Amino acid sequence: PEVKRIDRIRGRDHGHYFIVDVRVGLPGALSIQAGHDVSREIKRLVKEKNSRIEEVLVHINPWYEGES
């Protein structure tokens, strides 16, 4: 529920596994710890969906009410 916007998703193969890059918008007032926790949960959920996904890189952007 903290993810307010998905800015970009990119996947690529790296030999026998995949790497996924995702950029998400989280509320700008979230603490660094809360952002870190959300990032770890995103990684866990994405990797859980496909056993060939070995690495998930999450970039967090600040999001503010009224932004698209």
Side-chain angles (χ1 to χ4, degrees):
E2 292 89 354
V3 176
K4 302 300 183 187
R5 184 179 64 218
I6 298 173
D7 298 319
R8 181 178 182 184
I9 297 177
R10 180 176 71 168
R12 58 193 187 280
D13 63 4
H14 194 291
H16 63 284
Y17 63 90
F18 295 104
I19 298 172
V20 175
D21 299 326
V22 60
R23 293 181 189 181
V24 295
L26 302 181
L30 243 69
S31 70
I32 293 171
Q33 182 64 56
H36 174 76
D37 293 345
V38 171
S39 175
R40 288 182 60 130
E41 182 68 1
I42 290 169
K43 289 179 184 188
R44 185 187 70 75
L45 290 169
V46 171
K47 289 174 79 172
E48 184 178 275
K49 295 294 181 184
N50 187 319
S51 63
R52 292 187 61 203
I53 297 174
E54 184 70 27
E55 184 63 50
V56 179
L57 306 170
V58 180
H59 177 87
I60 297 171
N61 292 318
W63 174 89
Y64 298 98
E65 190 72 36
E67 288 186 357
S68 54

